[in-house]
Amino acid sequence: MRVMVIVKATTDSEAGKMPGEKLLTEMGKCNEELVKAGIMLAGEGLHPSSKGARVKFAGTKRRVIDGPFGETKELIAGFWLWKVKSLEEAIEWVKRCPNPMEGESEIEIRQVFEADDFGKEFTPELRQQEDRIRQQIAVNAKKR
């Protein structure tokens, strides 16, 4: 199963405070362990919401809302994408990670949907389309 491991934002991360060398070193070691174990598929930190935007949908209308956004505890400061055997395995890996922020922080783990999760509504044609899209993503990633 794939999971997204979400590092929740803090007041410091939303203020643009960058991690120090010690934390970057610890995170680098953690990421190396995850890669060596075949767990980590991707992982990135995110700029504060003040540098972002949201697009709000209402039927056919679209409204752009520039950051920053309100509740810091609702925001994401970074993420990993992992392939694990179970939620329990993901939890164990998260418990081994360094604290991603100074002081208190929170990491959320969410399972990523797979094709089979969508049932019969995900028709063979839609599955073929999904396969083509994933193949093109892989080609594009190699080009960059």
Side-chain angles (χ1 to χ4, degrees), residues 121-138:
E121 288 80 8
F122 199 53
T123 64
E125 295 80 17
L126 291 171
R127 288 174 188 266
Q128 289 173 352
Q129 177 188 41
E130 181 71 15
D131 289 342
R132 284 193 311 272
I133 290 168
R134 289 189 185 275
Q135 288 171 4
Q136 189 60 51
I137 289 169

Side-chain angles (χ1 to χ4, degrees), residues 84-96:
V84 293
K85 293 180 181 115
S86 65
L87 177 61
E88 292 75 22
E89 181 183 17
I91 291 168
E92 289 306 313
W93 277 102
V94 168
K95 288 163 71 175
R96 293 172 55 185

Side-chain angles (χ1 to χ4, degrees), residues 95-144:
K95 288 163 71 175
R96 293 172 55 185
C97 291
N99 185 347
M101 305 286 178
E102 289 185 20
E104 285 192 25
S105 65
E106 185 175 353
I107 293 178
E108 180 177 332
I109 304 166
R110 304 270 303 274
Q111 186 173 352
V112 175
F113 277 107
E114 302 294 346
D116 290 341
D117 295 330
F118 292 102
K120 67 181 181 183
E121 288 80 8
F122 199 53
T123 64
E125 295 80 17
L126 291 171
R127 288 174 188 266
Q128 289 173 352
Q129 177 188 41
E130 181 71 15
D131 289 342
R132 284 193 311 272
I133 290 168
R134 289 189 185 275
Q135 288 171 4
Q136 189 60 51
I137 289 169
V139 169
N140 290 348
K142 288 179 183 178
K143 289 180 183 177
R144 296 188 176 255

Side-chain angles (χ1 to χ4, degrees), residues 5 13 57 62 65 81 83 108 111 113 118 123 126:
V5 180
S13 68
F57 290 72
R62 309 292 185 264
I65 304 164
L81 184 60
K83 185 167 181 130
E108 180 177 332
Q111 186 173 352
F113 277 107
F118 292 102
T123 64
L126 291 171

